[in-house]
Amino acid sequence: MVKVNLEKCIGCGTCKADCTAANIALKDGKAVHGKFCLECGHCLAVCPQHAVALVGNYDPSEIIEYDPKQFEITPERLLNFVKFRRSIRQYTGEPVSDADIAKILEMGRYTQTGANMQLLRYIVLTKDTLREITPIALTALAELDVKSVDKKAMRVPHQYLDFQSIWVNWHQVYQKNQRDLLFHGAPNALLIVSRKCNEVDGCLNAGHLELMINALGLGACLMGFGTFAFDVSPELKQRVGIREDESVIFMMVFGHPKVKYLRTVNRKKVKYEKI
Ligand SMILES: Cc1cc2nc3c(=O)[nH]c(=O)nc-3n(C[C@H](O)[C@H](O)[C@H](O)COP(=O)(O)O)c2cc1C
Ligand code: SF4
Ligand code: SF4
């Protein structure tokens, strides 16, 4: 809920102009809020008088004032950072510290969600849990009856089903020498969990989380196959406490990289039209 300090409000209308829900009116030179509010905080962020606050389950002490010195990131540096981002498939065994995990989750918390719904939650898997679920996930993929899968209901591309012979091979390798080709032997994993309607929110979140993981000098690998394993294995969902009406929107593994990339790679030309 939004609260306006009427003593501070000078009725400038800056908040009204930026409210996507058209929830603010000016009455007698003061901002007055209606009932349809997304709690997006735009009114709070633009008010020159510090007259607006989000109240309820919010911590006022986490608000940061704008400081141009904190934005010293050039487009070239940002692009360079993204071009050097790689999916990491070799890890040292060292677990990621709780302090770094907190920074990664803070990145997710501040990533935008449609209609500001903020319905995502996260499950961080420790090394022990990840090692425990690895054989369950590999068995689920290797033994999946692909013919019975409803392709239209799949949240990942149905071409994934063509990979089953690879999953069977990974399963055999794991049974033989415990080598984990699915989760790359990573020390940690992160599940972005929500109800089924929230796909784009979850995917956007995954991208941002990975950027923070990279900024911390760590590495990550998005897990399409791992995500699919949660979709087809109720046992896997149950093991990590995911409710029936929820799904893993995306899974990623992360940790300290055991590989250093010395240069960028090529990509296909951008497909682009201006009409
Ligand atoms: C949606 C998505 C799903 C992915 N799933 C997997 C996966 O299951 N296993 C894996 O090793 N890599 C996975 N990746 C990593 C891609 O293979 C990788 O991003 C791509 O080959 C480009 O390499 P780069 O990330 O190093 O630039 C996935 C990436 C995305 C975006
Ligand atoms: S931006 Fe602040 S000062 Fe201006 S009308 Fe809104 S609440 Fe009042
Ligand atoms: S929080 Fe967002 S939706 Fe609510 S009144 Fe402020 S700007 Fe409008």
Side-chain angles (χ1 to χ4, degrees), residues 4-16:
V4 180
N5 182 327
L6 295 178
E7 277 176 23
K8 288 184 179 172
C9 175
I10 55 169
C12 66
T14 311
C15 55
K16 178 176 177 332

Side-chain angles (χ1 to χ4, degrees), residues 126-136 174 180 183-188:
T126 61
K127 199 173 187 171
D128 286 348
T129 310
L130 200 45
R131 295 295 82 85
E132 197 185 316
I133 67 161
T134 300
I136 305 174
Y174 184 81
D180 166 18
F183 299 136
H184 308 303
N188 286 101

